């Protein structure tokens, strides 16, 4: 199957970034969210990403071309023309159920329906449809237009054709497609969860400061420290995944209490302007 038009559901941080990644490789993108207000916020995110890329050498003409490749929608009216859907809504199984049931009503029978979930069961999501063979996980990493890795996760009933088409599609984006057998949090977030949680415990126990831990990690091997990364992805998302991993894998994944405290105080990171660091309007630490 040839992929040419892709729909992305959810204009938040991940959805907007995925849209930019697709448009940058020549795909026609339909970005959907439930309200015009959310789409407008998504458009602003896209503008900032393209402005950042222009500062790094992207031409104004190419940026304009990418922007023109992305159309916006609040309904499923145009979904009959898409070849692939990437769902990027919140990590809530009930919301995903509603989305996939709507997709089956509005998409062609041969369109691939994928989810960008970072931890939930692909098989369970596929069971919300009558055609689980065309449902697959395509887990991009934040920021999707820059990060090279994409996990391709089949459910129990995902067809080989769906898997091979998605691997080829991911490779066409210039990214590394890694097929991962289904398990809670898949591969990367299962590993990352322990690392991020241990950093929180080190902070909570007073072993070192936020800045010291981030610097030590970056000096050792990582391109970004655990606290800067948590601010980028959002403490609320991190807490949801941490709780899920704890339920699935037991005591060794018990979330550090400091993360729940931050979510309760709305210290979510870049999205709220305050997290482990404080951010200005350009999301730069200060």
């Amino acid at each position: 199957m040839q992929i040419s038009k892709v729909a992305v559901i959810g204009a938040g941080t991940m959805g907007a970034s995925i849209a930019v990644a697709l448009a940058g490789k020549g795909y026609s993108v339909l970005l959907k969210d439930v309200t015009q207000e959310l789409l407008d916020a998504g458009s602003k995110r896209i503008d900032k990403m393209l402005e950042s890329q222009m500062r790094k050498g992207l031409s104004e003409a190419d940026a304009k071309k990418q922007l023109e490749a992305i159309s916006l929608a609040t309904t499923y009216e145009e979904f009959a023309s898409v070849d692939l859907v990437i769902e990027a809504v919140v990590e809530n199984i009930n919301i995903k159920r509603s989305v996939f049931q709507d997709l089956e009503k509005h998409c062609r029978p041969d369109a691939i329906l994928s989810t960008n979930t970072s931890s939930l069961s692909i098989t369970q999501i596929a069971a919300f449809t009558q055609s689980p063979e065309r449902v697959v996980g395509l887990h991009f990493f934040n920021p999707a237009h820059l990060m090279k890795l994409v996990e391709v996760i089949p459910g129990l009933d995902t067809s080989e054709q769906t898997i091979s088409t998605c691997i080829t599609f991911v490779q066409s984006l210039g990214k590394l497609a890694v097929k991962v057998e289904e398990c809670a949090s898949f591969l990367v977030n299962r590993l990352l969860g322990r690392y991020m949680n241990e950093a929180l415990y080190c902070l909570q126990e007073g072993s070192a400061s936020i800045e010291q831990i981030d610097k030590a990690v970056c000096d050792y091997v990582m391109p970004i420290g655990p606290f800067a990364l948590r601010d980028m992805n959002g403490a609320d998302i991190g807490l949801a995944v941490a709780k899920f991993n704890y339920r699935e894998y037991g005591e060794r994944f018990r979330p550090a209490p400091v993360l729940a405290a931050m979510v309760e105080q709305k210290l979510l990171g870049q999205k709220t302007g305050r997290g482990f660091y404080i951010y200005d309007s350009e999301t730069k630490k200060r």
Side-chain angles (χ1 to χ4, degrees):
M1 179 182 178
Q2 183 68 35
I3 304 293
S4 59
K5 186 173 184 178
V6 183
V8 178
I9 300 184
T13 300
M14 281 303 300
S17 187
I18 291 171
V20 171
L22 301 176
K25 292 298 181 180
Y27 286 97
S28 175
V29 184
L30 178 61
L31 181 61
K32 180 191 179 298
D33 217 314
V34 292
T35 68
Q36 188 61 48
E37 182 181 8
L38 290 172
L39 284 177
D40 290 343
S43 292
K44 291 180 181 178
R45 293 186 182 98
I46 290 170
D47 289 341
K48 286 185 178 180
M49 292 176 207
L50 292 177
E51 288 168 5
S52 176
Q53 290 185 324
M54 287 174 65
R55 289 194 293 270
K56 297 175 183 177
L58 180 70
S59 71
E60 185 176 349
D62 284 342
K64 182 179 179 182
K65 185 177 179 181
Q66 289 184 36
L67 196 57
E68 290 174 346
I70 303 172
S71 57
L72 307 177
T74 56
T75 71
Y76 289 99
E77 186 176 346
E78 298 180 53
F79 274 63
S81 64
V82 304
D83 307 304
L84 167 69
V85 178
I86 302 173
E87 169 269 308
V89 302
V90 296
E91 286 286 81
N92 181 301
I93 196 67
N94 293 320
I95 294 176
K96 291 184 189 294
R97 176 192 289 115
S98 177
V99 168
F100 275 81
Q101 289 173 344
D102 284 339
L103 288 175
E104 194 159 47
K105 295 175 187 175
H106 295 93
C107 294
R108 300 194 318 263
D110 63 335
I112 294 174
L113 310 180
S114 75
T115 173
N116 185 57
T117 181
S118 60
S119 58
L120 300 177
S121 167
I122 307 304
T123 299
Q124 182 180 8
I125 292 171
F128 299 146
T129 75
Q130 298 298 314
S131 48
E133 70 279 354
R134 61 173 173 154
V135 179
V136 66
L138 287 181
H139 181 214
F140 291 76
F141 292 84
N142 188 28
H145 62 297
L146 299 178
M147 298 295 282
K148 293 295 185 182
L149 180 66
V150 178
E151 292 176 318
V152 180
I153 313 108
L156 290 176
D157 298 310
T158 306
S159 70
E160 287 299 324
Q161 180 179 353
T162 297
I163 297 168
S164 62
T165 299
C166 286
I167 288 174
T168 299
F169 165 72
V170 169
Q171 291 171 339
S172 76
L173 300 175
K175 299 186 181 297
L176 174 63
V178 177
K179 181 183 174 185
V180 178
E181 296 303 318
E182 186 174 26
C183 64
S185 289
F186 316 131
L187 174 61
V188 173
N189 277 350
R190 185 173 176 180
L191 297 171
L192 189 66
R194 293 292 302 277
Y195 154 71
M196 299 286 279
N197 208 31
E198 188 60 28
L200 288 168
Y201 275 113
C202 287
L203 176 66
Q204 186 173 290
E205 293 166 5
S207 300
S209 69
I210 293 169
E211 292 81 2
Q212 287 171 331
I213 294 171
D214 270 1
K215 184 178 186 303
V217 168
C218 291
D219 287 349
Y220 180 61
V221 67
M222 302 293 279
I224 185 173
F227 300 114
L229 180 59
R230 173 58 65 227
D231 277 358
M232 180 187 295
N233 292 336
D236 52 341
I237 302 298
L239 181 61
V241 173
K243 287 181 175 179
F244 177 79
N245 284 340
Y246 180 45
R247 290 195 302 270
E248 293 293 321
Y249 294 119
E251 189 61 29
R252 71 190 193 277
F253 276 87
R254 178 184 290 274
V258 65
L259 185 59
M262 292 190 68
V263 172
E264 185 176 348
Q265 296 174 48
K266 306 298 182 185
L267 301 174
L268 306 184
Q270 292 184 8
K271 68 175 73 177
T272 58
R274 295 177 66 90
F276 291 103
Y277 296 95
I278 300 173
Y279 300 84
D280 61 22
S281 60
E282 298 298 321
T283 67
K284 294 178 180 177
K285 290 183 288 186
R286 68 175 190 266

